[in-house]
């Protein structure tokens, strides 16, 4: 099918601060917010024992919803698996004169854009089929959150239009999403899986949804 030109409004995807609101937190049972006690503190006396810096960092991480943490972990593991596979290819070394580091945080902005372009085009599911377009965005979002929140690189905004450092990568991602949509990937939504507002917007932009019968 023909896929109309469109510009993905990356700003429509939830930012790190918009993943969950305070009112939403109040409606979630406590056991669903964290999968295990993040920090164990004694309850003897009016004040607990002195808290360690590592405990504070752990508390901060545990404020992130479980689903988001799992998505970040999945995206990071996918990156590591891709790196292991890519480094086994002789052409990888000759592209930059060195192998790709497994730790994505060791890449500077120029290197990050260079390898992310190849990563997003080359990754596949374990059964060798393509990921749907929206899943590619979720993968990049997971890596973005890891780099920003866990690695404290607050100046890295991979999907934001105003970050020129990653403009080429966004064009590659945009083109790859168009290609996959034209092949029919991600155009069928299971009835049991709700479509998020930001995903619906992308589908309208792609022409997956239409007002014409």
């Amino acid at each position: 099918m023909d896929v109309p030109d469109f510009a993905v409004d990356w700003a429509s995807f939830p930012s790190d601060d918009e993943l969950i609101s305070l009112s939403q937190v109040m409606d979630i049972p406590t056991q669903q917010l964290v999968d295990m006690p993040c920090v164990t503190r004694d309850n003897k006396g009016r004040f607990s024992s002195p808290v360690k810096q590592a405990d504070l960092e752990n508390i901060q991480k545990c404020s992130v919803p479980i689903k988001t943490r799992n998505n970040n972990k999945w995206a990071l593991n996918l990156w590591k698996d891709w790196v292991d596979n890519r480094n086994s290819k002789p052409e990888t070394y000759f592209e930059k004169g060195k192998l790709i580091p497994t730790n994505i945080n060791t890449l500077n902005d120029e290197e990050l854009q260079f390898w992310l372009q190849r990563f997003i085009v080359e990754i596949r599911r374990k059964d060798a089929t393509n990921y749907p377009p929206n899943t590619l965005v979720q993968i990049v979002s997971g890596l973005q959150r890891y780099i920003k929140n866990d690695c404290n690189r607050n100046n890295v905004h991979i999907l934001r239009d105003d970050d020129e450092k990653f403009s080429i990568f966004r064009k590659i991602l945009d083109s790859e999403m168009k290609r996959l949509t034209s092949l029919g990937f991600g155009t069928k939504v299971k009835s049991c899986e709700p479509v998020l507002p930001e995903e619906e917007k992308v589908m309208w932009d792609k022409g997956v949804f239409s007002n014409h019968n």
Side-chain angles (χ1 to χ4, degrees):
M1 70 178 179
D2 294 331
V3 180
D5 291 336
F6 69 98
V8 177
D9 181 10
W10 302 116
S12 67
F13 288 90
S15 66
D16 300 324
D17 297 327
E18 295 171 337
L19 287 172
I20 188 166
S21 66
L22 180 59
S23 61
Q24 289 174 305
V25 171
M26 298 301 291
D27 293 332
I28 301 176
T30 303
Q31 63 269 24
Q32 294 183 21
L33 291 175
V34 293
D35 47 2
M36 63 182 65
C38 294
V39 179
T40 301
R41 295 184 293 275
D42 64 74
N43 293 320
K44 298 178 181 179
R46 181 180 177 186
F47 304 107
S48 70
S49 56
V51 65
K52 299 178 181 178
Q53 180 61 33
D55 291 336
L56 294 175
E57 294 174 357
N58 203 21
I59 290 172
Q60 182 179 1
K61 290 180 181 179
C62 287
S63 66
V64 180
I66 296 173
K67 184 176 180 180
T68 302
R69 279 188 279 150
N70 288 341
N71 178 267
N72 298 351
K73 183 178 180 180
W74 168 62
L76 192 60
N77 285 336
L78 181 58
W79 165 265
K80 292 177 180 178
D81 289 344
W82 173 79
V83 168
D84 289 341
N85 178 267
R86 196 54 153 76
N87 283 342
S88 68
K89 313 293 184 183
E91 54 264 42
T92 299
Y93 180 84
F94 293 107
E95 284 182 301
K96 279 290 186 180
K98 59 182 178 181
L99 297 179
I100 312 168
T102 302
N103 183 357
I104 194 172
N105 188 43
T106 62
L107 297 172
N108 60 37
D109 291 345
E110 186 274 330
E111 293 171 330
L112 185 58
Q113 170 162 252
F114 181 88
W115 290 119
L116 277 178
Q117 294 173 52
R118 288 146 181 81
F119 167 77
I120 207 64
V121 172
E122 296 174 7
I123 55 175
R124 299 289 186 275
R125 296 176 183 269
K126 290 185 178 181
D127 62 1
T129 60
N130 288 283
Y131 285 107
N134 286 336
T135 302
L136 295 184
V137 177
Q138 293 172 6
I139 292 169
V140 177
S141 297
L143 294 177
Q144 166 73 77
R145 287 190 295 267
Y146 169 76
I147 293 171
K148 179 180 178 181
N149 299 332
D150 290 61
C151 303
N152 297 316
R153 291 173 64 176
N154 295 319
N155 62 334
V156 174
H157 306 288
I158 300 172
L159 295 177
R160 272 177 41 175
D161 286 335
D162 59 354
D163 193 333
E164 291 297 324
K165 300 188 298 294
F166 299 97
S167 60
I168 297 177
F169 168 75
R170 289 192 296 273
K171 291 178 182 178
I172 295 294
L173 175 59
D174 182 73
S175 296
E176 184 65 3
M177 291 175 68
K178 288 180 181 178
R179 184 186 73 84
L180 293 172
T181 300
S182 70
L183 295 175
F185 290 98
T187 59
K188 296 181 180 179
V189 180
K190 296 180 180 179
S191 58
C192 61
E193 296 181 354
V195 180
L196 298 177
E198 60 271 15
E199 294 175 343
E200 181 181 354
K201 183 181 187 305
V202 174
M203 290 183 179
W204 278 108
D205 289 340
K206 289 180 178 295
V208 176
F209 294 160
S210 174
N211 290 323
H212 303 289
N213 295 326

